[in-house]
Amino acid sequence: MGHETLDERKQGRMTKDGIRIYDREDFAGMHRAGALAAQILDDIAPLVAPGTTTGEIDAAITQMVDEAGATSATIGYKGYQHASCISVNHVVCHGIPGEKRLKDGDILNVDVTVIVDGWFGDTSRMYAAGSLSRKAERLVQVTHDALFKGIEAVKPGNTFGDIGFAIQAYVEAHRMSVVRDFCGHGLGRVFHAPPNVLHYGRRGTGAVLEPGMFFTIEPMVNLGRPETKVLADDWTAVTRDKSLSAQFEHSVGVSEDGVEIFTNSPGGKFHPTSG
Ligand code: MF3
Ligand code: CO
Ligand code: CO
């Protein structure tokens, strides 16, 4: 103890892979931030319908963050100017809200990250505008279930490779593909920290999970091939083959014997989300 500086005690421990180990008290901060992000995703559900623009949804999110006295983590992040990313149909992630009007049968991911008392809550879900085709419905369901296969692999002693393996095995068993170009991430008092949380991988590889690790799991799943490209706006990632893509994201913490989800829906409507 004597050789530990005040700074080290305050900031907690770091593993050899650069993964921060947070304290028991820190889980409460993450639950507060995660609950707000999840509440916002609950509250926008009635807005998501054919005819609404993604910009209108984002404006509502900006107002909700504001009214909660919280801060958007994305406004000003690397020049990004919105409180959410809204990714419609073949957009994989980082869709920029704007004038685009939703139409019947569209699927969309809305991704919100808020800062509450310095803690980051990052979550996203899929929404449906109107009624979906069977293949869209199936993609969304498989992506949701793949996230939970990953979450089920979170416990001390397992590895990050176990999480990726669980997700990839599930997705590929359903003849869909896992996006390789984007991954989950450590978070806590920062938005993006080590490790990269891959949504594919091999059992037993990667860093070993320890209590106090906080990170996101946010698999992106394509109906077609896994390759993506980023559009000229430098943000919007789309599937190269124009196939539909879906994503769900939770922020989680490793507990003594398993996992705590920080971004559970207060209204119990993570999936399906409907008004
Ligand atoms: N919320 C996204 C994630 O899951 C990151 C969005 S960064 C932005 O990590 F700048 F595009 F908003
Ligand atoms: Co994230
Ligand atoms: Co996110």
Side-chain angles (χ1 to χ4, degrees), residues 60-76:
I61 293 169
T62 302
Q63 193 182 336
M64 290 173 193
V65 174
D66 228 57
E67 281 169 4
T71 304
S72 164
T74 55
I75 296 175

Side-chain angles (χ1 to χ4, degrees), residues 159-162 201-208:
T159 70
F160 282 95
D162 294 331
R202 294 186 0 226
R203 278 185 181 125
T205 63
V208 176

Side-chain angles (χ1 to χ4, degrees), residues 122 185 191-192 216 218 249:
D122 184 5
H185 49 92
F191 195 173
H192 292 110
T216 72
E218 48 182 297
E249 174 176 27

Side-chain angles (χ1 to χ4, degrees), residues 125-162:
R125 304 177 195 164
M126 296 302 293
Y127 298 78
S131 54
L132 299 187
S133 70
R134 230 141 59 203
K135 64 178 192 180
E137 195 88 58
R138 196 166 151 268
L139 169 67
V140 170
Q141 189 65 49
V142 167
T143 307
H144 170 272
D145 294 350
L147 167 59
F148 279 86
K149 293 291 175 190
I151 292 173
E152 282 166 22
V154 178
K155 60 171 181 207
N158 276 6
T159 70
F160 282 95
D162 294 331

